[in-house]
Amino acid sequence: MIDLAIQTAYQLGLYGSSARQKASGTAASEDDFLDVAASKCKEAAREVSKSEKITTESLLRAKYPNLVYNVCDASSSYWRTRNDYPHYLLYQQDLDPAELENWKPTGPNPAYADAKEIWALGNVPPGSRAVVIHPRAQERIEQDPEFAKEVAERIEAWYTFDLLRNEAIMPGCSMELSQCVAIGEDGSIVNVVTSGQPKLTYSGDPDDGEKEDFWEKRARRQTLYIRRWQEKQIAHSREISRQFTADASAQAARSKLAKMMEGDSLKKALGDTIAGVSTESVLADTRALVWGSSALPI
């Protein structure tokens, strides 16, 4: 099966990373995530301004060199309602806008596990970052450096928030995470998707159909039994170690996430809505998922 984002009622991915950001050349502390994001955008703007025009793409590429950046209208509600929506196209450089803008379903919504488009997401390289900008927003970005910075900071705020909340819920999944954000005409976040990599499962040893001597078969089974017992012991030791690491990672993520969600800074950075849902609702749902209540821990 493909291990994709945990889907909530508003179809936002919850699948995380333990990535830790550090500010440089600023007075912001490591835990002031929005300050770090803003300061990094400003630092990137200073560097970019030395050699090229300041745009959202240039600012983001300063941090994500392999960023996939496309310009088209990706505000379709099919993004959030159809399992056969081609999300995998979002991670392709030089995407033909018509492939997304003109996409319409051709039949009933397939089951999640049956949609080939869901499986195609498993081919997206782990750690991929993608952005889709509405053409009119892109026009404004090219004319207004301040708007370009605002959009870049919004995308970076979402990336960071999404990483932290997912790490708090599902620690240890960071190496498999891919994220895409779609920006609408007005610069708001109109769609998001977060996905992971396939998990392949298998059982048993291959059987070539050849007849075996009783004692050969018994010896083979004994060898297999011993090997599996050893593997279980190793796996058990690794699981204990992994659990300690995961617990520490989740606790650190919760602490950082609580810091990030204090006050109104995050809500302001993300904008009033995310994928058609109020940002306040997204934050409230996150608080309930991570801490089991609508209030942040003291």
Side-chain angles (χ1 to χ4, degrees):
M1 63 178 290
I2 285 189
D3 189 6
L4 289 174
I6 298 174
Q7 298 296 317
T8 67
Y10 47 89
Q11 297 290 305
L12 297 181
L14 289 173
Y15 192 92
S17 166
S18 58
R20 183 183 183 92
Q21 300 179 44
K22 294 186 178 181
S24 60
T26 70
S29 72
E30 290 182 359
D31 291 327
D32 294 330
F33 297 100
L34 294 176
D35 289 341
V36 169
S39 66
K40 282 188 175 293
C41 281
K42 291 176 182 177
E43 290 171 11
R46 286 194 292 270
E47 292 300 315
V48 168
S49 64
K50 297 176 182 178
S51 58
E52 59 182 300
K53 183 178 180 180
I54 293 177
T55 65
T56 298
E57 181 177 6
S58 62
L59 293 173
L60 290 173
R61 283 199 187 282
K63 181 172 182 181
Y64 305 103
N66 296 322
L67 177 78
V68 176
Y69 189 99
N70 285 297
V71 178
C72 69
D73 183 358
S75 60
S76 171
S77 62
Y78 291 134
W79 175 308
R80 304 185 297 277
T81 59
R82 296 286 302 196
N83 291 327
D84 53 357
Y85 186 83
H87 290 102
Y88 64 94
L89 294 176
L90 300 167
Y91 297 94
Q92 295 181 4
Q93 294 282 9
D94 302 319
L95 167 70
D96 179 1
E99 290 192 71
L100 285 183
E101 294 177 343
N102 298 332
W103 188 90
K104 287 182 172 50
T106 57
N109 193 14
Y112 186 81
D114 294 338
K116 66 181 186 299
E117 292 80 6
I118 294 294
W119 286 89
L121 268 174
N123 295 322
V124 175
S128 295
R129 300 290 182 273
V131 174
V132 184
I133 305 288
H134 192 285
R136 292 184 181 174
Q138 182 64 24
E139 290 178 5
R140 184 177 171 189
I141 285 170
E142 293 174 355
Q143 299 170 0
D144 185 351
E146 292 305 313
F147 181 68
K149 294 175 188 176
E150 177 186 331
V151 173
E153 290 174 11
R154 176 160 296 143
I155 293 168
E156 175 61 19
W158 171 259
Y159 282 162
T160 305
F161 169 68
D162 190 42
L163 295 180
L164 288 175
R165 68 179 187 156
N166 283 288
E167 185 65 18
I169 297 168
M170 297 176 66
C173 298
S174 60
M175 298 304 293
E176 300 177 353
L177 178 69
S178 296
Q179 295 172 293
C180 181
V181 176
I183 297 296
E185 183 177 350
D186 62 354
S188 65
I189 296 175
V190 293
N191 273 316
V192 295
V193 65
T194 303
S195 60
Q197 296 296 302
K199 284 188 176 179
L200 304 179
T201 60
Y202 62 93
S203 61
D205 288 339
D207 185 359
D208 58 11
E210 295 182 0
K211 301 261 183 177
E212 278 188 294
D213 174 81
F214 170 78
W215 295 106
E216 289 179 349
K217 189 173 182 179
R218 180 177 178 180
R220 185 175 66 84
R221 286 182 173 176
Q222 181 70 9
T223 300
L224 179 62
Y225 172 80
I226 293 173
R227 188 180 74 204
R228 288 183 172 172
W229 179 84
Q230 291 172 335
E231 289 174 350
K232 286 182 180 179
Q233 295 303 307
I234 293 172
H236 179 66
S237 298
R238 287 177 176 172
E239 175 60 22
I240 293 175
S241 176
R242 187 201 66 78
Q243 190 59 53
F244 277 117
T245 302
D247 289 346
S249 177
Q251 184 58 42
R254 291 189 189 105
S255 177
K256 297 173 187 177
L257 184 62
K259 179 70 174 178
M260 188 178 192
M261 294 176 68
E262 287 179 355
D264 296 326
S265 297
L266 178 60
K267 183 178 178 181
K268 181 179 179 181
L270 292 174
D272 294 332
T273 61
I274 300 170
V277 177
S278 73
T279 301
E280 186 53 52
S281 294
V282 174
L283 298 181
D285 285 349
T286 298
R287 286 190 287 267
L289 283 167
V290 176
W291 293 286
S293 70
S294 61
L296 290 172
I298 298 177

